[in-house]
Amino acid sequence: MASENGNASPSPSPSPSSLLEINNLKKYFPIRRGFFKRTVGYVKAVDDVSLQVNEGETLGLVGESGCGKTTTGRMILRAIPSTEGDVFFRDPDLGRVNVIELDNQKLNQVRRNMRMIFQDPHASLNPRMTILELIGAPLRAMGLAKGTELEDRVADTLGLVGLAPEVMRRYPHAFSGGQRQRIGIARALVCQPNLVVADEPVSALDVSVQAQILNLLQELQDQMGLTYVFVAHDLSVVAHICDRVAVMYVGKIVEMASTLELYTNPKHPYTEALLSAIPKPDPRRRGSARILLEGEVANPADPPSGCYFHPRCAYAQDLCNQQEPAWEEVAPGHFAKCHFANELELAGVVA
């Protein structure tokens, strides 16, 4: 079913199983020039994003660097303020709340149940703090534990991520990249949250370590009933861990479906191009040719008319230049933002 407003994806209707609902979320960064720093335009980093994340699932946000996926993840936790839109979260204590409108006291309470895993385990851990201080910081800041109780909770959380409690007195420099990311995961989980935003948690790690961290995240999800928003650009990683996938291009979501459906039956040319870049594990096996997109990613400060992707799209027609496509349900649970989503036969990957 198409949206009445072709410029935005429709706001999802609240579902009893939904933990997170994002409605028409925007983030515009002002462009200021001149001696008086007057605003002459805006960089539309996130432009009308609507999502619904069900309890216990993993939703992947994918796209090229600069598409707005990390900004979206940070606005969910209100780590950066939004320009417009709503973020509804079903908090176990406060009920359904709009994170954007909370005062500082209630926001601090909600953040016990909404945590973030950062991309770079080297930059996200303060080298002057011990592991006990790093992981225990959220507990102290929120008044959840102190003294012996804090140490016990840190020790228990370290055990969950596969590290011995004895490492609490050490500093981050004594650990490998994979171990540091386990510490970052422990810091996110020490408050026992419901929702975790994982911002490319394995992209800075060696390939040999990535699978260990992904398996750990899945085990923790089963043990603790976690819900993930998983930000990534590596679609082979997303296929391993995500239940549903939303594809972003220049601040907008252009396609969303279950992982299997999106990978085997893409409906947007941009998704097809991303899937063609997934490395083939068997070089003797023939697959679809790599699609090399021509031109540059659209400028979010001065996007093209019509469909943002049309200057790079091999299937573009005059309509694509003139009119922005509507957000349409092309199959049950499969949404796409393309004028010809029901007509194109695009190549996916083998299931």
Side-chain angles (χ1 to χ4, degrees):
M1 177 176 167
S3 169
E4 294 178 0
N5 178 7
N7 295 329
S9 55
S11 301
S13 57
S15 167
S17 62
S18 65
L19 183 68
L20 179 73
E21 298 155 28
I22 303 171
N23 296 337
N24 308 115
L25 196 62
K26 299 179 182 179
K27 180 60 180 178
Y28 294 174
F29 293 98
I31 302 172
R32 296 187 173 93
R33 291 177 183 165
F35 181 79
F36 294 103
K37 300 296 181 183
R38 291 191 176 94
T39 300
V40 297
Y42 293 92
V43 175
K44 298 180 179 180
V46 177
D47 193 11
D48 250 331
V49 165
S50 295
L51 291 170
Q52 182 171 293
V53 185
N54 296 321
E55 189 170 9
E57 82 166 339
T58 301
L59 174 71
L61 273 180
V62 303
E64 293 172 285
S65 296
C67 72
K69 53 189 187 294
T70 293
T71 303
T72 300
R74 295 191 175 190
M75 281 194 292
I76 290 173
L77 279 71
R78 219 171 94 180
I80 58 175
S82 62
T83 303
E84 190 177 312
D86 300 301
V87 177
F88 292 101
F89 176 68
R90 183 155 52 84
D91 187 84
D93 301 315
L94 299 177
R96 187 173 183 265
V97 296
N98 188 349
V99 178
I100 303 299
E101 299 177 350
L102 294 177
D103 58 35
N104 289 335
Q105 181 179 357
K106 289 186 177 179
L107 178 62
N108 194 48
Q109 185 175 349
V110 167
R111 279 180 174 164
R112 301 175 188 176
N113 300 304
M114 302 173 68
R115 307 299 297 166
M116 190 166 193
I117 300 171
F118 295 96
Q119 176 178 0
D120 188 350
H122 299 276
S124 62
L125 300 179
N126 189 331
R128 297 186 178 185
M129 297 175 69
T130 65
I131 305 309
L132 173 61
E133 293 170 330
L134 286 166
I135 298 177
L139 297 174
R140 289 193 300 271
M142 298 177 187
L144 298 178
K146 61 181 180 180
T148 305
E149 182 186 359
L150 185 145
E151 290 193 20
D152 290 342
R153 289 187 63 169
V154 170
D156 291 342
T157 308
L158 282 171
L160 283 175
V161 300
L163 294 175
E166 291 77 14
V167 305
M168 284 194 297
R169 309 296 176 184
R170 299 180 187 176
Y171 290 85
H173 72 267
F175 299 89
S176 66
Q179 290 173 324
R180 291 189 194 190
Q181 193 60 294
R182 289 175 186 265
I183 294 167
I185 294 171
R187 180 174 57 184
L189 299 183
V190 72
C191 295
Q192 298 179 339
N194 301 89
L195 175 70
V196 175
V197 178
D199 182 15
E200 305 209 36
V202 297
S203 63
L205 305 177
D206 293 340
V207 175
S208 60
V209 181
Q210 288 184 6
Q212 299 175 22
I213 299 299
L214 290 174
N215 290 335
L216 173 63
L217 289 173
Q218 289 182 310
E219 292 170 6
L220 292 170
Q221 184 175 37
D222 294 336
Q223 291 177 27
M224 303 178 67
L226 298 171
T227 301
Y228 292 137
V229 175
F230 192 89
V231 177
H233 65 269
D234 187 339
L235 271 75
S236 58
V237 168
V238 171
H240 181 76
I241 195 170
C242 294
D243 302 302
R244 286 190 301 135
V245 180
V247 181
M248 292 190 69
Y249 184 74
V250 194
K252 293 182 179 289
I253 295 179
V254 296
E255 187 168 6
M256 182 166 57
S258 68
T259 304
L260 180 61
E261 170 69 11
L262 186 134
Y263 276 57
T264 57
N265 188 30
K267 292 296 183 180
H268 196 284
Y270 180 61
T271 306
E272 180 189 40
L274 291 179
L275 293 174
S276 74
I278 298 177
K280 308 299 186 294
D282 187 352
R284 296 167 297 179
R285 184 176 182 176
R286 290 193 172 187
S288 57
R290 170 75 184 273
I291 299 174
L292 298 176
L293 296 175
E294 298 181 358
E296 300 293 332
V297 178
N299 182 1
D302 186 23
S305 60
C307 174
Y308 286 3
F309 187 62
H310 86 263
R312 309 175 74 194
C313 181
Y315 309 99
Q317 300 183 27
D318 291 340
L319 177 63
C320 304
N321 182 33
Q322 299 166 2
Q323 181 180 333
E324 184 173 353
W327 180 254
E328 184 179 2
E329 187 171 12
V330 294
H334 191 161
F335 299 85
K337 196 168 187 173
C338 176
H339 289 297
F340 308 103
N342 288 311
E343 302 173 20
L344 297 175
E345 295 185 3
L346 305 177
V349 295
V350 179

